[in-house]
Amino acid sequence: MSDKPLHPRTRAVHHGIRRSQYGEMAEALFMTQGFSYDSAEQAEARFINSGPDEFIYARYGNPTSRMFEDRIANIEGAEDAFATASGMAAVNGALMGFVKPGDHIVSSRALFGSCLYVLDLLARFGVEISYVDGTDIEQWRAAIRPDTKAVFFETVSNPTLEVIDVTAVAQLAHAVGALVIADNVFSTPVYSRAIEQGADVVVYSATKHIDGSGRCLGGVICGSRHFVREVAEPYLKHTGGAISPFNAWNMLNGLTTMDLRVRAQTDSAMKFATAMEDDLKLPRVIYPGLASHAQHDLAMRQMGAGGTMVAVDLGSKDAAFKAMNRMRIFQISNNLGDAKSIVTHPTTTTHQRLSEETRLQLGITPGLLRLSIGLEDAGDLIEDFRQALA
Ligand SMILES: *Cc1c(COP(=O)(O)O)cnc(C)c1O
């Protein structure tokens, strides 16, 4: 055996497995909230200091959840990970566990609605937040101060697919000792090199590409062992943000096929976006893999691919609704990263709570459709969209 590091796809199948005395092949589902001790002394000792394979209570940790944490941390290139009940529990845990009143955070403005809610919550507790246009490095430079504690952004924003330059933002943040927290859902762990590029903490909604079949909610915080175990975990384990072992078990299985799925979905997304632009001649097709995307070069440098999400503008809400109602394969829903292709109208659903002014500032026009490309045949998806527009 050579010492050549294993490919992430190999690690995604094997890493982190813990086998019981039965030697089961598949990852075991330890559907238990508690653990029994051999003696009162052992219970006492474990509450003082529990080792990596010693568990107390599933809100603190569980063998199945730990397998998922080890596997995703390994794929992401992070020292450790804490698995959470949802992506939002991960965003909340990474931020709330870290900041205190009076701290200053700089955040990209183009965020998922619930991420904006968490930042509003922090502001309510006396954290100062400065919002910037995340694609403009000069705005980051102007907003980051010597006392800035953290920067936060979605590496690829929802739903307009703006790409944030992780390396450039991290350089500015690290110059003042600020922590870089990246919500990396749209990049997916397959195309992420966020830690190598300078992110300190990477959060995922595992609900999306990690599960990949739209079954379970889950999330994960990846980072240094210190951040994960000393900052995020105490907050999450005491406030009830841990993942269910059942969901962690589904996520573990999701990771084994994630690379294949996400690459196939990305190939189809590229074909789909190309057809929208070249054949259907839609005036506004947003896909980081297309040369027409404003940050195409950055996307290629940072991720090496365009990802699984596409956005198109049909000009008006009426045109968007008509097309959605005619689609047969694309399902009208609001998840993403699913095996089933999904069409979402952000203005009236995921981003409904924003003011019209903010929506337009973010490029969320009334005719905009967000498309999550699934595992169906790309030709069938293109044809479904074509007939919906006819
Ligand atoms: C879905 C999503 C979340 C929230 O994840 P949940 O699992 O739904 O809680 C956070 N950030 C981004 C970018 C998302 O797409």
Side-chain angles (χ1 to χ4, degrees):
M1 285 262 291
S2 78
D3 290 334
K4 191 165 168 279
L6 296 172
H7 191 279
R9 228 165 99 175
T10 307
R11 293 184 267 131
V13 176
H14 291 281
H15 191 85
I17 196 160
R18 286 161 159 75
R19 289 200 163 96
S20 77
Q21 71 271 33
Y22 300 112
E24 66 281 352
M25 270 296 286
E27 291 78 356
L29 168 54
F30 291 94
M31 200 65 219
T32 179
Q33 52 71 22
F35 302 85
S36 80
Y37 311 102
D38 294 337
S39 65
E41 288 77 11
Q42 192 187 52
E44 181 187 32
R46 207 169 289 183
F47 269 78
I48 294 169
N49 188 14
S50 49
D53 269 303
E54 295 176 344
F55 298 94
I56 292 175
Y57 193 54
R59 178 151 52 71
Y60 290 31
N62 166 287
T64 306
S65 310
R66 190 57 58 82
M67 286 192 250
F68 171 53
E69 291 170 345
D70 281 356
R71 189 167 295 178
I72 182 70
N74 183 272
I75 295 170
E76 193 61 33
E79 274 177 19
D80 212 340
F82 189 86
T84 55
S86 68
M88 285 322 303
V91 171
N92 184 53
L95 287 165
M96 269 293 198
F98 179 65
V99 296
K100 56 181 187 326
D103 281 353
H104 178 239
I105 293 182
V106 182
S107 172
S108 162
R109 193 177 287 124
L111 295 179
F112 180 60
S114 302
C115 292
L116 285 171
Y117 181 88
V118 170
L119 291 175
D120 285 348
L121 195 63
L122 293 179
R124 225 159 81 195
F125 289 96
V127 175
E128 190 191 343
I129 323 260
S130 304
Y131 290 99
V132 296
D133 171 351
T135 62
D136 182 352
I137 197 67
E138 292 313 315
Q139 291 198 22
W140 288 101
R141 196 189 309 279
I144 292 170
R145 311 188 309 225
D147 66 335
T148 301
K149 282 284 167 359
V151 301
F152 179 69
F153 53 83
E154 290 173 9
T155 38
V156 179
S157 74
N158 175 12
T160 48
L161 310 173
E162 290 180 349
V163 184
I164 310 288
D165 189 336
V166 178
T167 308
V169 175
Q171 251 164 28
L172 295 173
H174 289 158
V176 299
L179 195 78
V180 177
I181 305 176
D183 178 334
N184 215 23
V185 170
F186 279 52
S187 300
T188 83
V190 174
Y191 300 124
S192 170
R193 284 185 293 128
I195 296 217
E196 181 188 319
Q197 288 159 350
D200 300 298
V201 178
V202 177
V203 296
Y204 285 106
S205 164
T207 317
K208 314 290 169 56
H209 303 85
I210 294 176
D211 176 37
S213 299
R215 300 165 298 190
C216 292
L217 282 173
V220 69
I221 300 174
C222 304
S224 69
R225 181 144 300 126
H226 170 79
F227 186 87
V228 169
R229 297 295 161 199
E230 313 291 328
V231 178
E233 183 189 295
Y235 174 78
L236 284 158
K237 76 184 186 188
H238 293 300
T239 56
I243 196 168
S244 152
F246 179 75
N247 289 7
W249 179 75
N250 273 315
M251 298 308 177
L252 259 173
N253 289 303
L255 284 180
T256 64
T257 57
M258 177 181 65
D259 189 280
L260 292 171
R261 285 185 285 102
V262 168
R263 288 184 198 281
Q265 287 169 262
T266 300
D267 283 349
S268 293
M270 184 66 195
K271 288 187 184 131
F272 182 86
T274 304
M276 294 300 111
E277 197 169 64
D278 293 353
D279 305 341
L280 274 64
K281 307 246 182 279
L282 297 181
R284 187 169 169 233
V285 179
I286 311 173
Y287 182 63
L290 291 177
S292 60
H293 189 280
Q295 298 150 296
H296 173 67
D297 292 345
L298 170 62
M300 290 300 116
R301 216 166 49 237
Q302 192 159 284
M303 305 190 289
T308 67
M309 303 295 294
V310 181
V312 298
D313 198 335
L314 297 186
S316 69
K317 175 183 166 187
D318 188 48
F321 271 31
K322 275 209 178 89
M324 288 171 84
N325 290 334
R326 294 233 279 263
M327 289 181 198
R328 297 172 191 150
I329 300 173
F330 280 96
Q331 302 292 305
I332 302 173
S333 188
N334 39 261
N335 187 28
L336 60 96
D338 194 320
K340 297 180 179 71
S341 289
I342 291 171
V343 57
T344 311
H345 186 245
T347 298
T348 52
T349 61
T350 51
H351 293 69
Q352 192 193 133
R353 283 194 320 126
L354 302 183
S355 71
E356 196 184 331
E357 192 197 338
T358 308
R359 272 201 300 270
L360 293 179
Q361 193 182 20
L362 297 175
I364 307 172
T365 47
L368 191 79
L369 292 180
R370 185 187 83 182
L371 301 152
S372 170
I373 304 301
L375 283 170
E376 304 94 339
D377 175 70
D380 287 347
L381 294 175
I382 294 165
E383 193 42 43
D384 191 37
F385 208 89
R386 191 194 306 273
Q387 67 79 28
L389 289 183

